[in-house]
Amino acid sequence: MATAFKAETPVTPLVTSADQLPDLYAMVGKGRCMEPEVMDGTCLAFDKHEEPVSGDTVILWFRPEFAKEDGTQCMYKRLVALPPVSLPFKLAPTSNCVPVVTVEMLNPPRRFNFPVTELLAVHKCIGPAEPKGNGVAALRRKKEVLA
């Protein structure tokens, strides 16, 4: 059985808090950076309450002031390392050490480090979704193999 949830593509206006996003949402991936695992134009489902671990595909939500010039505020990549901090992160006045989130893309292979001070949230991808129109998408569940 499929789970329906709101497809949030594009997000306008800019997201200023992860609380603005539904618990489950879908985004259409753009670009070939995660091929062959995620093809350009694939709709992906995200759960903001599932804890991502290294190796998971995640979506990074940037604070509005760190959005790209074209207004893009999020990107999906494979998680390498996520520090044990709460997002959004607030740097202590006496600290000069900022933890980073490390992610990677596959095509071509490359790693990126983003200071947690630039991020609103990191949400786990729970699988592909199928757009159903009118802002709705359905989660595609993998068939269970019973022994």
Side-chain angles (χ1 to χ4, degrees), residues 49-115:
H49 297 294
E50 274 201 45
E51 288 293 321
V53 296
S54 294
D56 285 341
T57 298
V58 296
I59 190 166
L60 303 168
W61 283 94
F62 292 89
R63 293 175 186 253
E65 61 269 29
F66 295 103
K68 293 183 181 180
E69 288 181 15
D70 67 359
T72 303
Q73 194 179 356
C74 59
M75 67 170 63
Y76 69 99
K77 299 284 184 243
R78 181 187 292 153
L79 182 64
V80 175
L82 180 65
V85 298
S86 296
L87 294 175
F89 182 78
K90 292 184 178 156
L91 188 62
T94 58
S95 176
N96 60 0
C97 180
V98 177
V100 297
V101 172
T102 304
V103 293
E104 63 188 358
M105 64 185 215
L106 306 177
N107 183 26
R110 187 172 168 202
R111 286 195 173 180
F112 304 91
N113 294 308
F114 295 104

